[in-house]
Amino acid sequence: MVRSSLDPENPTKSCKSRGSNLCVHSKNTHESAQAIKGMHIRKATKYLKAVTLQKQCVSFRRYNGGVGRCAQVKQRDWTQGRWPKNSAEFLLHMLKNSENNSFFFFILTRGHLFPLFGLDVDSLVIGHIQVNKVPKMRHRTYRAHGQISPYVSSPCHTEMTFTEKEQTVPEPEEAVAQRKKIIVKKLTKQKLMAWE
């Protein structure tokens, strides 16, 4: 089993997905991954499908040398963007994989594997996503006058961790009113101390 770079705080409420030596550009995948970081799984899937259809754009913030400008990227408060179709499709496969992993998975505790069932897929949020470069794959291309030039691809490793977002329960009104009453009393007492 491959070790993840970041373990979730609560392993029982999370699921993982990873891809090794993916034949897709590492820089494009990095930008696409940063675009979906922190999103719900459904929203990320919808966004990546829109990227493949060129309905929405991925903002290129780090690897942006020579990247053109487009109007769609204004929604993300940036000026440079592209539509990395191949990276979006690979990330979509990873999202589907992690969605399947959320139904049934094993957890390792004290040297034993215990099966766990059922995370709520609609409340899964991308807590961690990481893209690492891999040693380049070297090929050759044949040029004019019998010359040969390098033809290098830049694959990557990708890993993501999903956590189940906890439901926030609103505080009862009685407790809020009680706390407000205590704060008012405290403030009046401080004002009286200041006068003396």
Side-chain angles (χ1 to χ4, degrees):
M1 187 178 221
V2 180
R3 190 178 152 276
S4 180
S5 68
L6 183 73
D7 290 325
E9 292 177 7
N10 189 359
T12 59
K13 294 287 183 181
S14 62
C15 62
K16 298 176 188 176
S17 174
R18 71 181 294 125
S20 298
N21 294 314
L22 303 177
C23 290
V24 62
H25 292 299
S26 57
K27 294 181 180 182
N28 290 352
T29 310
H30 172 271
E31 297 294 352
S32 303
Q34 292 304 309
I36 63 170
K37 189 175 186 178
M39 282 189 185
H40 281 274
I41 191 168
R42 301 283 187 223
K43 188 177 178 184
T45 305
K46 186 177 175 185
Y47 172 70
L48 290 174
K49 283 181 180 175
V51 168
T52 57
L53 299 172
Q54 294 195 358
K55 302 289 184 192
Q56 283 193 338
C57 184
V58 172
S59 58
F60 276 59
R61 296 170 186 267
R62 180 173 182 180
Y63 300 108
N64 57 2
V67 177
R69 295 179 287 190
C70 67
Q72 287 180 356
V73 84
K74 282 193 247 180
Q75 297 171 355
R76 303 192 156 268
D77 298 326
W78 202 251
T79 55
Q80 295 169 291
R82 281 183 178 165
W83 301 268
K85 183 179 179 183
N86 207 11
S87 298
E89 286 173 354
F90 269 84
L91 288 173
L92 274 169
H93 287 302
M94 289 187 67
L95 288 175
K96 184 67 179 167
N97 183 4
S98 55
E99 187 176 328
N100 292 338
N101 290 344
S102 69
F103 294 128
F104 178 80
F105 59 95
F106 290 93
I107 186 166
L108 182 66
T109 309
R110 296 188 190 124
H112 298 289
L113 286 173
F114 294 103
L116 294 173
F117 296 95
L119 292 174
D120 185 15
V121 179
D122 293 325
S123 64
L124 288 179
V125 177
I126 302 173
H128 164 72
I129 188 164
Q130 179 176 325
V131 177
N132 293 335
K133 290 183 180 180
V134 174
K136 300 190 176 200
M137 293 165 54
R138 298 186 65 83
H139 308 288
R140 60 171 101 179
T141 184
Y142 300 95
R143 309 299 297 269
H145 310 294
Q147 293 181 346
I148 295 174
S149 294
Y151 207 74
V152 181
S153 62
S154 304
C156 61
H157 296 317
T158 308
E159 66 178 42
M160 54 177 75
T161 304
F162 289 84
T163 54
E164 201 174 48
K165 192 168 187 181
E166 297 175 3
Q167 299 284 336
T168 55
V169 180
E171 195 174 354
E173 295 177 12
E174 299 167 359
V176 173
Q178 181 70 21
R179 192 170 354 106
K180 194 171 183 182
K181 189 175 181 182
I182 292 170
I183 291 171
V184 170
K185 284 183 179 180
K186 196 173 187 181
L187 286 173
T188 53
K189 190 174 182 180
Q190 286 177 351
K191 283 180 185 176
L192 286 173
M193 295 297 250
W195 280 101
E196 293 176 355

